[in-house]
Amino acid sequence: MAEVIARHLNAFALTASDMPVIEPDFLCHRLTMDEKVRPIIQRRRKFNEERRLVIKEETHKLLSVGHIRKIQYPEWLANVVLVKKANGNWRMCVDFTDLNKACLKVSYLLPSFDSLVDSALGCRFLSVLDAFSGYSQIRMHPRDESRTAFMTELSSYCYKVMPFGLKNTGATYQRFGKNICSLQHKRNGKKLESFVNFFSNHMVVNLHVLCPFIKHFIIGNLNC
């Protein structure tokens, strides 16, 4: 496996800036808005000095990799929320509560955890892959970018890629996984669905032998 990975290092993203963005014609995230709902601008929240510095740093990171852009006149505007991670670092999120209430639920069935466990019955290998910032590879529909706006001390920004916390993002990522599997099936005739399942922002791989996984998934899927 190490030899195969070494020959295909260009298929792996070591940093967020290395990740290719999915073409919108292939897939993008759309907000299913209830047009009767009026836009909401949240009341600005105050943060202490430590949290202000974290927000500034995280915003700079998102700007530098092109995940967000400045916006001047947003109709929807939300606050950022800082969550303490287990390792003591901060995670910056956006409070999309109001926006999510205005979005209709997409009736796209997600796989149940029980079915994923059952599919691994009898397999010799089971691997759960965390799709590193996988959501950031999926663009927001241009019409909906401004609706993801959030405020900081310096300016207001909106997302160009699909952020965590939005309604129906799980369904969009699930469709992305299905489309990738269908694309690979057309290219090499191999059905990835038989041993690869997409769940939330993870990929669950289960198979009886290791060689097909290396040949058809690592090489084929990551280079698509």
Side-chain angles (χ1 to χ4, degrees):
M1 179 180 289
E3 181 182 348
V4 172
I5 293 175
R7 290 204 307 265
H8 298 275
L9 287 177
N10 62 334
F12 296 88
L14 301 180
T15 64
S17 59
D18 294 334
M19 292 189 303
V21 178
I22 304 301
E23 290 296 328
D25 292 340
F26 182 75
L27 183 79
C28 64
H29 184 67
R30 299 170 182 261
L31 298 180
T32 53
M33 301 287 294
D34 182 353
E35 299 301 335
K36 297 179 182 179
V37 178
R38 297 180 61 182
I40 296 176
I41 295 180
Q42 296 179 358
R43 180 179 296 179
R44 183 175 174 178
R45 298 174 186 168
K46 297 181 179 180
F47 298 95
N48 59 30
E49 184 62 24
E50 177 191 3
R51 299 193 179 198
R52 284 199 297 267
L53 289 175
V54 172
I55 293 172
K56 183 178 180 180
E57 292 174 0
E58 293 300 314
T59 302
H60 176 72
K61 290 178 184 178
L62 293 172
L63 270 175
S64 63
V65 295
H67 290 174
I68 61 175
R69 62 177 175 85
K70 287 187 177 182
I71 185 172
Q72 289 187 331
Y73 306 108
E75 293 184 334
W76 291 86
L77 191 59
N79 283 284
V80 297
V81 179
L82 292 180
V83 179
K84 200 82 166 183
K85 297 193 291 187
N87 60 5
N89 295 330
W90 292 99
R91 180 192 299 276
M92 190 180 82
C93 308
V94 178
D95 183 6
F96 289 125
T97 303
D98 296 317
L99 183 61
N100 286 339
K101 289 179 180 178
C103 292
L104 304 177
K105 181 69 175 178
V106 173
S107 57
Y108 189 91
L109 294 178
L110 300 178
S112 67
F113 188 77
D114 290 340
S115 65
L116 295 179
V117 173
D118 292 340
S119 66
L121 185 64
C123 294
R124 293 182 60 195
F125 300 95
L126 174 65
S127 179
V128 179
L129 307 177
D130 185 357
F132 172 69
S133 299
Y135 278 25
S136 300
Q137 292 182 274
I138 301 175
R139 287 189 180 276
M140 290 294 301
H141 190 279
R143 178 198 63 194
D144 295 322
E145 285 185 6
S146 61
R147 293 168 172 169
T148 65
F150 62 93
M151 66 185 87
T152 70
E153 277 193 334
L154 300 178
S155 183
S156 295
Y157 305 88
C158 67
Y159 277 91
K160 298 165 61 178
V161 297
M162 186 174 73
F164 279 98
L166 277 184
K167 201 171 190 175
N168 300 319
T169 52
T172 297
Y173 189 75
Q174 190 71 21
R175 280 199 299 269
F176 164 67
K178 292 293 183 182
N179 290 351
I180 288 292
C181 291
S182 298
L183 179 62
Q184 286 302 312
H185 187 200
K186 292 178 181 178
R187 285 184 176 181
N188 54 35
K190 299 298 180 180
K191 290 187 176 181
L192 293 180
E193 297 96 329
S194 60
F195 59 88
V196 179
N197 292 284
F198 287 77
F199 184 77
S200 182
N201 63 325
H202 293 73
M203 289 174 283
V204 181
V205 183
N206 50 74
L207 63 163
H208 295 278
V209 292
L210 194 58
C211 292
F213 171 59
I214 296 177
K215 183 178 180 180
H216 301 302
F217 185 70
I218 291 184
I219 299 176
N221 194 35
L222 294 177
N223 277 322
C224 68

